[in-house]
Amino acid sequence: MPEIIELSGPVLTGPGSERRGLWSVGGLLTFTRPQQAPDRVLDGWVLPGFVDAHCHIGLGPGGPVDAAAAEDQARADLDSGTLLIRDAGSPADTRWMQGGRDFPVLIRAGRHIARTRRYLRGFADEVEPENLVEAVRKQARDGDGWVKLVGDWIDRGAGDLAPSFPAAVVRDAVQAAHDEGARVTAHCFAEDTLDQMLDAGIDCIEHATGLLPRHLPRFAEQGVPIVPTLINIATFPAIAAQAQPRFPRYAAHMLALWERRMERVAEAYDAGVRIFAGTDAGSVISHGRIADEILALHTAGLPMTAALDAACWSAREWLGADSLQEGARADVVLFAEDPRTTPMTISEPAHVVLGGRVIR
């Protein structure tokens, strides 16, 4: 007989929609009461498993980590209620973690693609402009429908942030990914890089600290979402302090981007730009911090329903994953209180259910 779990609390099927009566039967959700009595009853406010839209399984501060460390990362995310991860670039091959019952659902982007010696050592496939299109095609074929570009980084010769690749080459690379059936996202800190990426037809922007009023209508009209990674942007002052002696312009630029981080997210939300939650865990940020990112989005000005939506219903739809629907895989997280009115409750899930299996 399939295991039956009754989810007895209010079920949030959307930011503003609620119903009662949900069961997991053999790992699938149903709103029809089973004839058999449940094997377990879990109480709490029911949400779809959280989405971390910018996470790096298999990546550590020095580059790829071994399988045991990658498992620890995934389990930390799982324990926090993160049941779906869009991996935003990793030098480790984590395909072995997919398709099982032990880890969050993982959508891989393959390796970052960066300009030679213009990114963190050991992280990326580093190429020169003439090889960018070929590198994008390779990562598109190796990943799960996403390619990650490093759109800008410090140019030590210029002493400041600068685009990694010429605009025309970026356009060709994005088109190549689209030809392969993949979407493209890009790490972007600086202001001008955003214009380049929007011109190229990019599908998503990570960090987006350089957002200016001129960008907002284009993001909204082109339907390009941002993943602000606010808990990672909080590290900018330390980066600036370390860079100050050798690269004062870069340090000042990073501080200026950090100072307006919250206002930019609020302005993007008010302009109708789609926003998704991502922690950037895997390098300097520890795993299992999706609640911190959701709360940071709320602090930046998103209503709590919108901050939750950035990691729940809309995020799942964006990535082509089911939510709380009849017949969907039973990936749910339960909280002791209504997270829409008691935000801090998301920091401690009461229960986590992955594929119909109770994790906690």
Side-chain angles (χ1 to χ4, degrees):
M1 294 289 290
E3 183 179 24
I4 299 174
I5 302 170
E6 181 178 353
L7 306 167
S8 67
V11 180
L12 301 185
T13 56
S17 57
E18 177 184 326
R19 60 187 296 183
R20 290 261 184 178
L22 183 63
W23 291 262
S24 167
V25 179
L28 300 178
L29 295 176
T30 181
F31 290 95
T32 301
R33 180 184 294 275
Q35 293 182 351
Q36 295 82 14
D39 298 288
R40 298 190 64 170
V41 178
L42 304 181
D43 191 28
W45 292 78
V46 184
L47 277 72
F50 285 145
V51 177
D52 190 337
H54 185 129
C55 187
H56 304 281
I57 299 290
L59 176 67
V65 299
D66 61 22
E71 282 197 32
D72 289 342
Q73 293 174 341
R75 294 189 192 284
D77 291 321
L78 192 62
D79 196 54
S80 74
T82 295
L83 305 187
L84 174 60
I85 290 172
R86 183 188 63 146
D87 186 280
S90 176
D93 186 345
T94 53
R95 281 174 280 202
W96 61 274
M97 304 181 81
Q98 296 178 304
R101 299 176 65 247
D102 298 325
F103 307 110
V105 175
L106 180 62
I107 299 172
R108 298 172 50 260
R111 296 194 71 166
H112 306 71
I113 304 174
R115 183 75 174 264
T116 309
R117 291 184 294 278
R118 288 276 305 279
Y119 196 49
L120 298 166
R121 186 177 302 173
F123 280 35
D125 180 11
E126 298 187 7
V127 300
E128 286 299 284
E130 60 269 22
N131 297 319
L132 180 62
V133 169
E134 179 184 353
V136 163
R137 290 192 183 279
K138 179 180 185 302
Q139 295 304 325
R141 293 166 184 168
D142 286 349
D144 301 321
W146 282 93
V147 174
K148 169 73 174 295
L149 300 179
V150 178
D152 58 26
W153 198 251
I154 184 173
D155 181 335
R156 289 169 176 79
D160 199 359
L161 291 167
S164 302
F165 299 100
V169 177
V170 173
R171 285 196 298 272
D172 291 344
V174 170
Q175 184 60 55
H178 290 170
D179 290 344
E180 297 288 342
R183 290 184 279 184
V184 184
T185 192
H187 160 112
C188 296
F189 285 163
E191 296 84 354
D192 292 345
T193 315
L194 296 178
D195 298 288
Q196 181 192 75
M197 294 298 166
L198 290 167
D199 289 344
I202 199 79
D203 300 288
C204 182
I205 293 290
E206 313 298 315
H207 316 302
T209 47
L211 274 174
L212 296 174
R214 74 168 187 263
H215 298 127
L216 297 177
R218 295 192 64 191
F219 270 88
E221 290 164 10
Q222 293 179 217
V224 178
I226 64 171
V227 184
T229 67
L230 286 172
I231 62 173
N232 183 39
I233 304 311
T235 66
F236 276 21
I239 295 171
Q242 185 178 19
Q244 174 64 35
R246 292 185 60 197
F247 304 109
R249 282 181 56 207
Y250 168 73
H253 196 174
M254 293 293 280
L255 275 178
L257 294 173
W258 171 79
E259 286 168 352
R260 288 209 67 241
R261 67 200 184 284
M262 296 297 195
E263 291 89 341
R264 285 185 166 113
V265 171
E267 290 164 1
Y269 175 74
D270 290 341
V273 177
R274 290 185 297 166
I275 298 171
F276 297 115
T279 63
D280 207 356
S283 177
V284 298
I285 304 298
S286 59
H287 285 260
R289 294 191 59 192
I290 190 62
D292 293 336
E293 184 64 23
I294 295 169
L295 293 170
L297 291 173
H298 181 44
T299 300
L302 273 65
M304 193 57 192
T305 51
L308 287 168
D309 197 29
C312 280
W313 311 277
S314 290
R316 286 180 163 272
E317 181 181 16
W318 176 56
L319 293 174
D322 288 334
S323 192
L324 301 183
Q325 298 147 340
E326 186 72 27
R329 175 176 147 131
D331 288 346
V332 300
V333 59
L334 292 83
F335 300 101
E337 300 179 73
D338 184 349
R340 297 170 299 180
T341 55
T342 310
M344 288 305 298
T345 195
I346 66 171
S347 297
E348 190 61 37
H351 302 287
V352 176
V353 179
L354 176 71
R357 186 162 64 96
V358 179
I359 303 299
R360 61 176 294 180

